[in-house]
Amino acid sequence: IGEADLGLTKTASAPPGGDTAYDPGDTVTYTITIENYGPDNAPLVEVEDILPDTLTYTGFTASVGSYDDSTGIWTVGDLPYLGTQTLTLDATVNAAAETAGRTITNEATVSSPMNEPTGATNPNTDTADIQVHGADLELTKITTAVAPIVEGDPITYVVTLTNNGPDSATGIEVTDLLPSNLHFDTYVASEGLYDDITGLWNGIALNNGESATLTL
């Protein structure tokens, strides 16, 4: 068996519209480039790149071979000395990525039956990170009721919703449906509206660090 020093680099496209982070539904394109620095040709070259579950695969373009999204394998075949090949992967950021300032890391690794030369410095593995907009929402609920409670006693619940950032959040909805053994009287919301029939508190928008309260 000869020796072949394989190198791999991986980059990610910038978010659309000059933004600093992606939103769910945005498309990200990864570009993977491999090169054989020799001294020998490399047969049966493969690259493994399994997309994380926060990304939904949509397609690929390869200078040679094919990519199987179910296994994450790009089958390259023979890569001659000083040969270079490129793969681009397209994926959509899905809703699972919308957590607190999440970083999505995607890794790719190139391999071949050939031995690496002694002292080889070209990396076989590289990663590309993207940032996703997100807001870490925190919900707490307390009651002023003190046991023992008898029929006819008033009960007050206070629901507090806080955006711990790092981004703003709009279209927030909270569901708090009172049980059938409680009679709804009234509510006060610092913002938004509450529907006692559905238990839905909606119309809430919070910047980083802001809170909203609902008193039932």
Side-chain angles (χ1 to χ4, degrees):
I1 298 179
E3 294 182 335
D5 180 11
L6 299 178
L8 181 147
T9 59
K10 180 170 185 173
T11 60
S13 59
D19 203 348
T20 58
Y22 285 84
D23 290 309
D26 287 343
T27 296
V28 56
T29 298
Y30 294 103
T31 301
I32 303 161
T33 302
I34 58 172
E35 184 168 355
N36 180 6
Y37 295 90
D40 298 313
N41 298 333
L44 303 175
V45 176
E46 288 185 345
V47 172
E48 182 179 55
D49 188 331
I50 300 175
L51 295 176
D53 57 9
T54 47
L55 298 175
T56 302
Y57 167 79
T58 56
F60 80 93
T61 301
S63 59
V64 68
S66 61
Y67 175 78
D68 185 341
D69 64 290
S70 64
T71 62
I73 298 297
W74 171 28
T75 303
V76 179
D78 294 342
L79 188 61
Y81 171 50
L82 297 183
T84 301
Q85 301 292 351
T86 302
L87 171 72
T88 59
L89 293 177
D90 294 323
T92 301
V93 178
N94 59 45
E98 197 172 14
T99 57
R102 178 155 189 175
T103 299
I104 299 178
T105 299
N106 187 210
E107 180 179 278
T109 301
V110 62
S111 62
S112 168
M114 299 289 280
N115 293 322
E116 290 274 323
T118 301
T121 58
N122 294 292
N124 298 137
T125 298
D126 196 12
T127 59
D129 293 341
I130 64 170
Q131 301 296 320
V132 177
H133 284 305
D136 182 12
L137 300 178
E138 178 184 0
L139 185 72
T140 61
K141 182 176 181 178
I142 62 173
T143 179
T144 61
V146 178
I149 301 172
V150 298
E151 184 176 354
D153 283 350
I155 298 175
T156 299
Y157 294 104
V158 180
V159 181
T160 303
L161 178 67
T162 302
N163 181 1
N164 293 315
D167 297 306
S168 300
T170 60
I172 307 170
E173 296 183 345
V174 175
T175 299
D176 189 340
L177 183 61
L178 295 176
S180 60
N181 57 357
L182 292 179
H183 173 74
F184 172 77
D185 288 328
T186 188
Y187 80 91
V188 176
S190 61
E191 67 173 283
L193 300 172
Y194 176 76
D195 185 337
D196 65 288
I197 303 300
T198 63
L200 187 64
W201 174 29
N202 62 8
I204 312 163
L206 297 175
N207 294 323
N208 182 9
E210 288 185 341
S211 296
T213 58
L214 171 69
T215 302
L216 299 175

